[in-house]
Amino acid sequence: MRRDNDAARYGARLAAGAIFVAPFIALLYRAEAGLVVMAFALGAVSLLLRDAISEAPRQSRIRLRLVLGFNIVLAVACLALAGWLLLGR
């Protein structure tokens, strides 16, 4: 990921904003909405992290891949829980 890449910079800001806003959306509206926003934020962070892994030092790539996998698992879990809550009520 290049430092002068505007899309990456805006994506990082959008992901950070979504992570910050998700709990407030859940409080104001419904938990399902907050979970969907959190899944979106985790997905955006995962995309940015995937691009950054190739630029990272060799010894930290394994850890970054683990974090990437964990983010994807959390995003899927958020979507699954949101679906379960929507269908369960």
Side-chain angles (χ1 to χ4, degrees):
M1 182 172 76
R2 292 176 282 160
R3 291 188 186 270
D4 60 346
N5 191 351
D6 287 337
R9 189 174 2 172
Y10 293 133
R13 288 181 183 167
L14 180 65
I19 289 171
F20 179 74
V21 169
F24 298 109
I25 289 175
L27 284 173
L28 291 175
Y29 298 107
R30 293 179 70 171
E32 295 87 347
L35 286 168
V36 170
V37 171
M38 185 59 73
F40 171 74
L42 287 167
V45 169
S46 297
L47 286 174
L48 292 171
L49 185 58
R50 187 195 66 182
D51 291 339
I53 286 176
S54 62
E55 300 295 325
R58 191 166 190 78
Q59 63 270 18
S60 40
R61 287 182 187 168
I62 294 173
R63 289 186 183 147
L64 289 175
R65 285 190 181 109
L66 287 172
V67 170
L68 176 64
F70 189 66
N71 277 350
I72 292 170
V73 167
L74 283 177
V76 170
C78 285
L79 288 175
L81 183 58
W84 182 73
L85 287 173
L86 282 173
L87 296 175
R89 290 187 179 178

